[in-house]
Amino acid sequence: MAGFDAIDVIRAKRDGHRLSDDQIRWVVAAYTQGVVPDEQMSALLMALFFRGMSADELSAWTRAMIDSGERKDLSSLGRPTADKHSTGGVGDKITLPLAPLVAACGVAVPQLSGRGLGHTGGTLDKLESIPGWRADVHEEAYLRQLRDVGAVICAAGDDLAPADKKLYALRDVTGTVESIPLIASSIMSKKIAEGADALVLDVKTGSGAFMKNTDDARTLARTMVGLGAAAGVRTVALVTAMDRPLGRSAGNAVEVAEAVEVLAGGGPADVVELTLVLAREMLAGAGRDDVDPADALRDGRAMDVWRRMIAGQGGDPDAPLPRPSETHVVTAPATGTLTRLDAFSLGVAAWRLGAGRARKEDPVSAAAGVTWTAGIGERVTAGSPLLELHTDDGGRIPRALEALEGAIGVDSADRPLPLVLERIDTV
Ligand code: URA
């Protein structure tokens, strides 16, 4: 690898110059291999944070991150593949019904997922509340399950964009997470390396999202669609609401239970709607827009795939889910229409109850979380139960209640966002 001096790369970006493809390729590879130390990469990340990246720089940076590991080839499966990525939200359990649903329609879904950090939950943490279920699947079993069942949701191995693992950990402690090009390259390097033919991005906006502001969410969505298209992956993004949480639950086991309700043909209307909207996009991207996923939800085919997908990773789909040792009910403050149920506040409450982690080494509680009895736009009655807090440690309840102060509005002036704000398929 042609060598550069890291300090020259840092100075160039600090002073607002464009980095060359070779400089980018070198610095990402050298950092991944430990040749460039954390302090120099921290300085470069901060320079990138303030100076941004041109489209060419961003595409070279993303390619360098993909090339730090292996780009998977799923062509041996002999059927189209599609994946979905959500930028993260509260109560966002959509992957759980979506992956088996799309697989039931003939498109394989290779989902390499992460764990939760902060107030948004992680798909693997949720699935681990199913007794016996394992997130670690080795390469051979991964391909076998994709071939036999059609869907796998598991932890990404060390060979998937290893540069991102190191860079993300460093961004987390250097105040450089909230940069659109760094977020876009981080997400897209992993998703492109995963090898699916089509990708659907669910970019959340609102208090419970990374991108609080809709214009930022739109910019992130466009940036990621551009990176996907440049890498030959059919990519569509939907900008969706995260001013309130999705469904009626946020946490781990409570979200699995809700996903199973959806697969059984019931479940909250917003979760069903978003699952079907995203399924249609994934099927269209994979060339199967002739199939209606609503049929597979209605006739139980998606549920069959779910059961086989869970069993394939050691889980017992019939086992009772963990129950909390303590619960606490919060009643509706007034009678009227529920107009505010703040996503961020509910996410923080679920996290404080034990559903999420503050550091990536922390354990999570399977039974912890929050459920609610009414969604935005529904009638509530003063004094009747609205929220139920679930935890294994009653000492956590007061701090969760603090997080919920001001989270509920009845007949307030809040204007909830539409569930799907925008669809973006070109840059
Ligand atoms: N999720 C990622 O994978 N990377 C980011 O930078 C932000 C969210």
Side-chain angles (χ1 to χ4, degrees), residues 82-171:
D83 189 16
K84 183 245 2 175
H85 178 81
S86 158
T87 57
V90 179
D92 185 0
K93 71 278 297 170
I94 301 288
T95 293
L96 306 186
L98 181 65
L101 174 60
V102 171
C105 297
V107 171
V109 183
Q111 259 274 339
L112 298 173
S113 287
R115 295 179 191 281
L117 197 60
H119 75 280
T120 61
T123 298
L124 302 181
D125 295 326
K126 294 171 198 178
L127 284 167
E128 278 174 348
S129 62
I130 301 173
W133 187 87
R134 291 181 310 268
D136 290 316
V137 177
H138 64 76
E139 182 77 21
E140 217 176 284
Y142 172 78
L143 287 173
R144 193 177 338 114
Q145 185 165 321
L146 269 182
R147 202 169 290 123
D148 297 348
V149 180
V152 59
I153 304 174
C154 65
D158 291 338
D159 57 347
L160 193 93
D164 180 62
K165 275 208 180 73
K166 267 190 100 172
L167 281 168
Y168 193 72
L170 189 62
R171 287 167 56 209

Side-chain angles (χ1 to χ4, degrees), residues 168 171 182-183 186-187 190 210:
Y168 193 72
R171 287 167 56 209
L182 292 177
I183 295 173
S186 164
I187 292 174
K190 287 174 286 198
F210 237 112

Side-chain angles (χ1 to χ4, degrees), residues 45-106:
L45 288 172
M46 193 55 86
L48 288 167
F49 183 95
F50 282 112
R51 292 290 190 178
M53 288 193 218
S54 69
D56 288 346
E57 285 176 307
L58 180 58
S59 126
W61 185 272
T62 307
R63 233 177 305 121
M65 302 233 296
I66 297 168
D67 292 343
S68 70
E70 205 190 312
R71 184 168 176 179
K72 295 195 187 300
D73 178 1
L74 299 174
S75 56
S76 68
L77 292 177
R79 71 179 110 160
T81 53
D83 189 16
K84 183 245 2 175
H85 178 81
S86 158
T87 57
V90 179
D92 185 0
K93 71 278 297 170
I94 301 288
T95 293
L96 306 186
L98 181 65
L101 174 60
V102 171
C105 297

